[in-house]
């Protein structure tokens, strides 16, 4: 179980999750989360979210036997760990109760809108999904979540370019790998799914008080990383 220093467990959280993971003989047990905005507001996050490590308990023997560890990243390492741990097993017990209070901290490295933190966050998202995808491919548990995240790397790549980052060849190869995955190709070969993807993507992102306009359209980006001739 993972607990941030400024968060809070509800009474009997550990007992409740331990009971559920043992009763169901699961590898992971996950509860709902209350995302506290600190101003009297907040929202409930579902137990099946794959972004937050919070509100979850993992069977240590399962993690060790599958060599599930955190990648060497400053941000989004929890996303990678979650994808590896949850997508690799069908033994996930969802507990439909709020057992964890997550405090939304604007100054944290993943929430801060300073350009310094955005530098780190933008390309780390891509690498985090790459680590998870490589792991799941080896274990034959590739899922559509990875395919969806592969297409979402467009947003993070464009943010990095806008911030003046110079993507390494290694990062570009990670994107090519994610886009060439069979499930990603399956999504890209279905026109309706591409339309849905394009409808969900804007040519800019708003972070804090700043608007970051993208340097490439989704199709231009896709062509850059899927056109074989561009790799030579």
């Amino acid at each position: 179980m993972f607990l941030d220093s400024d968060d809070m467990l509800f009474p009997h959280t550990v007992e409740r999750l331990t009971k559920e993971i043992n009763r169901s003989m699961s590898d992971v047990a996950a509860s709902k989360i209350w995302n506290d905005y600190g101003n009297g507001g907040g929202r409930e996050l579902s137990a099946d979210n794959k972004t937050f490590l919070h509100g979850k308990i993992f069977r240590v023997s399962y993690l060790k036997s599958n060599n599930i560890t955190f990648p060497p990243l400053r941000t989004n390492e929890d996303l990678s760990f979650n994808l590896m741990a949850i997508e690799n097993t069908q033994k996930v017990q969802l507990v439909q109760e709020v057992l964890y209070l997550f405090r939304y901290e604007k100054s944290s490295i993943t929430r801060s809108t300073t350009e310094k933190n955005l530098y780190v966050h933008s390309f780390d998202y891509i690498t985090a999904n790459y680590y998870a995808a490589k792991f799941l491919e080896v274990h034959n548990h590739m899922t559509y979540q990875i395919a969806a995240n592969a297409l979402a790397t467009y947003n993070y790549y464009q943010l990095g370019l806008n911030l003046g980052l110079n993507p390494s060849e290694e990062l570009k190869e990670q994107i090519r790998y994610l886009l060439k995955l069979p499930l990603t190709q399956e999504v890209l070969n279905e026109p309706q799914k591409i339309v849905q993807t394009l409808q969900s993507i804007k040519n800019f992102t708003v972070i804090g008080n700043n608007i970051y306009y993208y340097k490439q359209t989704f199709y231009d980006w896709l062509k850059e990383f899927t056109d074989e001739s561009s790799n030579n």
Side-chain angles (χ1 to χ4, degrees):
M1 172 174 280
F2 300 91
L3 174 67
D4 288 348
S5 60
D6 55 347
D7 293 347
M8 184 180 76
L9 297 178
F10 284 87
H12 311 301
T13 293
V14 177
E15 177 185 353
R16 184 81 177 88
L17 289 176
T18 301
K19 179 180 179 181
E20 284 300 314
I21 199 171
N22 288 330
R23 181 191 63 78
S24 60
M25 298 298 292
S26 298
D27 296 318
V28 183
S31 74
K32 293 181 178 180
I33 300 170
W34 180 254
N35 192 356
D36 181 14
Y37 296 156
N39 57 3
R43 67 187 179 104
E44 187 178 285
L45 302 177
S46 65
D48 63 351
N49 82 82
K50 297 181 177 69
T51 302
F52 290 86
L53 278 176
H54 316 90
K56 297 179 176 66
I57 191 168
F58 301 88
R59 190 174 296 280
V60 174
S61 59
Y62 162 67
L63 298 178
K64 287 184 175 180
S65 63
N66 288 277
N67 195 28
I68 297 174
T69 59
F70 288 94
L73 300 171
R74 287 189 64 195
T75 65
N76 287 292
E77 75 287 353
D78 50 353
L79 168 65
S80 189
F81 184 95
N82 258 337
L83 289 171
M84 289 188 283
I86 295 174
E87 299 294 308
N88 189 52
T89 180
Q90 295 182 338
K91 297 179 180 179
V92 178
Q93 179 66 21
L94 301 181
V95 181
Q96 301 302 337
E97 301 173 33
V98 176
L99 297 176
Y100 190 100
L101 186 144
F102 174 79
R103 290 192 172 93
Y104 187 92
E105 178 53 63
K106 291 183 179 179
S107 63
S108 72
I109 190 170
T110 53
R111 307 294 173 187
S112 173
T113 58
T114 64
E115 289 202 348
K116 179 181 178 181
N117 284 337
L118 292 178
Y119 289 153
V120 177
H121 187 67
S122 57
F123 285 171
D124 271 2
Y125 176 87
I126 298 170
T127 302
N129 279 285
Y130 170 78
Y131 274 110
K134 292 289 284 187
F135 172 88
L136 293 170
E137 183 179 42
V138 169
H139 289 76
N140 296 313
H141 281 112
M142 196 62 67
T143 67
Y144 280 106
Q145 183 67 53
I146 291 292
N149 288 4
L151 298 182
T153 60
Y154 164 74
N155 298 284
Y156 291 87
Y157 187 77
Q158 296 306 312
L159 177 59
L161 293 182
N162 196 296
L163 291 167
L165 294 179
N166 184 26
S168 66
E169 285 304 315
E170 181 180 10
L171 185 81
K172 292 180 179 180
E173 283 302 316
Q174 291 174 0
I175 295 174
R176 291 188 184 102
Y177 166 79
L178 289 168
L179 291 177
K180 287 180 179 178
L181 291 171
L183 284 182
T184 308
Q185 288 295 308
E186 183 179 322
V187 171
L188 291 173
N189 287 330
E190 294 187 28
Q192 186 57 38
K193 289 187 177 180
I194 294 181
V195 170
Q196 291 172 353
T197 299
L198 288 173
Q199 287 175 341
S200 68
I201 292 176
K202 300 177 181 179
N203 68 339
F204 66 91
T205 187
V206 179
I207 302 177
N209 297 320
N210 299 319
I211 299 178
Y212 296 92
Y213 289 94
Y214 295 163
K215 296 181 180 295
Q216 295 171 293
T217 66
F218 179 74
Y219 276 128
D220 286 342
W221 171 79
L222 204 58
K223 188 173 186 298
E224 176 185 348
F225 287 101
T226 57
D227 186 352
E228 293 296 333
S229 62
S230 68
N231 300 339
N232 299 325

